[in-house]
Amino acid sequence: MQLTLQEQGNWCVVTVEERRIDAAGAISFKEAMRNLTEGLTGPVILDLGQVDFVDSSGLGAIVAAMKTLGGKRRLHLAALTPNVERVFSLTRMDLVFPIHASVAAALLSDDS
Amino acid sequence: MDVPVGYDAVRVALLEWRRWIEGVNACSDLVSRAEIVLAEVLNNISEHGYVGRDGVPAPIALRCRMSVRGLHVMVVDQGWPVPADRCLAGGLPPVSLAAQDMDSLPEGGFGWCLIRELTCDLNLVSDGAGNRLSFVVPLCKPDDVADPAAPANQARPV
């Protein structure tokens, strides 16, 4: 699973460079997220702009990634494509994650 | 089509399925909804270590056809019976929105919820021959229809 990390001020922006986070890629996504965010203390934005498919295993992996951040840190999600947004809203996980229209919008948000 | 068991095989099968459905003039929103449902159904079967009852790996049979109501799907496996009552009814896993409860957030249990939300006529028959799951993924709402030649009355969700 190809993820890239960029630090922007206080924020860490993780971009998923894949089309799918599905059952076949869920474990690899979790591991890559853990490796990238280990030791980081700032709030994290997950840029999903290139992802056009997330299934329930992928959703579970994104929930697990937020838990890995530890404490009360939320994982911010940005740039959800329509079918990915649908999975979050049907499972009510859109109430758990702060969701932003774009990375730029997420960077302007209040992380609280 | 026959789908081999396993997450990687399911991913390959879904890509092949997309090529099929893109050739039958389905609206893109139906394709997106159906792909979620098919992924959940096929991965569920893979996740539960499905092999045929004689212990020999057997493929999952996936049959799809379009009608005026939507995409009709039948998925047949030869595994042991699954608990139909639990699959066909039930709710979302409990979620607490309090920040201190983050560790208790569910990481699974979403699959059947998505299937139930996105289908109609969902039916599961488990018997001596295996499991036969059938459902319809309804057509798009009229204003979502990609094919302008399709009559509006065929495009209403059921």
Side-chain angles (χ1 to χ4, degrees), chain A residues 8-54:
Chain A
Q8 299 208 23
N10 189 30
W11 294 86
C12 307
V13 181
V14 176
T15 303
V16 183
E17 313 267 1
E18 306 271 350
R19 303 289 300 276
R20 305 172 79 87
I21 308 177
D22 59 11
I27 291 173
S28 136
F29 170 81
K30 273 194 273 191
E31 286 174 359
M33 277 295 282
R34 192 184 312 118
N35 292 338
L36 267 187
T37 57
E38 213 165 29
L40 299 175
T41 52
V44 178
I45 299 166
L46 186 65
D47 176 4
L48 292 169
Q50 295 173 50
V51 179
D52 57 24
F53 186 81
V54 169

Side-chain angles (χ1 to χ4, degrees), chain B residues 62-123:
Chain B
L62 170 64
R63 304 282 174 262
C64 296
R65 69 179 171 85
M66 284 297 292
S67 82
V68 292
R69 297 182 58 219
L71 179 71
H72 297 243
V73 179
M74 168 82 88
V75 181
V76 180
D77 71 59
Q78 298 162 39
W80 295 101
V82 296
D85 293 351
R86 284 222 312 267
C87 299
L88 299 180
L92 285 165
V95 172
S96 165
L97 299 178
Q100 62 269 26
D101 289 339
M102 205 110 74
D103 283 344
S104 67
L105 284 175
E107 293 177 33
F110 304 115
W112 276 103
C113 305
L114 289 169
I115 295 168
R116 288 190 298 264
E117 290 276 355
L118 294 171
T119 62
C120 52
D121 296 356
L122 183 61
N123 192 35

